[in-house]
Amino acid sequence: MEFIPAKNIISGYAEDGWFGANYNMNIYKGCSHGCIYCDSRSDCYQIADFSRVRAKENTLETIERNLRSKQKKGIVGTGGMSDPYNPMEEKHELTRGALKLFDRYHFGISALTKSDLVVRDIDLFLSIARHSPVNMMMTITAADDNLAKKIEPHVSTSSERFRAIRAFAKAGIHTGVLMMPLVPFIEDTVDNIIGLIHLAKESGADFIYPSFSMTLRSGQREYFYRELDKKFPGTSEKFIKTYGGDYGCPSPDYHMLKERFIAECKKLNVTYRYRDIVRYKSGYSRKQLSWI
């Protein structure tokens, strides 16, 4: 694997970031999952050869230095730009090493992935949970494995990801499903959405959080349309006709799907509101750190 220089890996402090994270971490750059909708391919991120996975040099030394420099403890979020459990992680264990450091220095973790490799590290999630908030999120956008493989060709199947959620739930770790993005004209069906809610419930997920749309930007849009033409002939024409060059691409059935989603979640007693999901960190103290 290629390593690239990086001065820092853990970001500066934010009071209330995505799903309660105070810091952000991206150990890897690029992603080999091949998801046709991935926003990280966009030109604005300037990641050349996005499908090639690289890692930051001196990863664990840099992370430890970053953690020791923080004035406040907090929750580290990871998985926003590249999956912390890409195939390279199985061999190099850089994410696992980072979790050990979070445990040592008493930082929490909010991880987002599409890989069941995360199950390997349940022991560390449990250890961190003894002193800090822990949240494991799995992106799943298709209830059917065959459909998921077309949209996300190189990741764990949806059923494998639900088994990972089941393992975390059984261990008592806060875990749930990010049902986003739902690709219009393909995944934005009542059957798919209801199916995902039921699978989340059956797997013991603490929550499911939705988005009934996707985004398209320069760089990402071109790749997405090429893949649509290969796998779903005629669908790119629907996108162009419906959205033109718009950034936001909500499902044409957005309001109906949202209503059905909420009704089914209430029926099954599944948490779906963001404000309720982030309660996993309630009571967490952000006191000043001292390394003396």
Side-chain angles (χ1 to χ4, degrees), residues 184-222:
F185 311 115
I186 298 172
E187 295 178 305
D188 58 339
T189 68
V190 171
D191 285 348
N192 184 48
I193 290 169
I194 298 300
L196 285 167
I197 298 169
H198 280 256
L199 287 167
K201 177 70 174 182
E202 292 163 10
S203 300
D206 292 292
F207 64 88
I208 181 168
Y209 188 71
S211 174
F212 306 101
S213 64
M214 65 173 292
T215 60
L216 286 176
R217 288 192 264 209
S218 177
Q220 171 202 12
R221 180 182 284 107
E222 292 78 4

Side-chain angles (χ1 to χ4, degrees), residues 157-181:
T157 63
S158 293
S159 56
E160 288 169 339
R161 283 177 264 175
F162 277 116
R163 280 198 292 272
I165 288 173
R166 188 174 293 113
F168 272 77
K170 185 177 179 180
I173 298 168
H174 190 262
T175 185
V177 176
L178 288 198
M179 192 180 73
M180 61 172 65

Side-chain angles (χ1 to χ4, degrees), residues 1 3 28 87-95:
M1 182 172 63
F3 289 84
Y28 296 99
M88 297 293 185
E89 170 62 21
E90 186 168 11
K91 174 183 177 182
H92 294 277
E93 297 192 355
L94 299 178
T95 298

Side-chain angles (χ1 to χ4, degrees), residues 41-52:
R41 293 182 181 278
S42 302
D43 291 341
C44 62
Y45 299 118
Q46 300 181 332
I47 303 176
D49 195 6
F50 181 76
S51 296
R52 179 164 54 99

Side-chain angles (χ1 to χ4, degrees), residues 73-140:
K73 70 178 181 179
I75 301 165
V76 180
T78 187
M81 283 293 295
S82 60
D83 199 311
Y85 288 96
N86 68 77
M88 297 293 185
E89 170 62 21
E90 186 168 11
K91 174 183 177 182
H92 294 277
E93 297 192 355
L94 299 178
T95 298
R96 182 169 178 82
L99 292 175
K100 290 179 180 179
L101 291 171
F102 300 158
D103 193 18
R104 182 187 307 170
Y105 291 102
H106 285 205
F107 281 73
I109 177 68
S110 179
L112 171 61
T113 183
K114 296 175 186 173
S115 172
D116 62 355
L117 178 59
V118 68
V119 175
R120 178 198 67 187
D121 293 342
I122 278 184
D123 61 325
L124 291 172
F125 281 86
L126 280 170
S127 187
I128 293 169
R130 295 189 185 104
H131 54 74
S132 302
V134 169
N135 179 40
M136 195 286 286
M137 301 177 287
M138 192 70 75
T139 296
I140 312 177

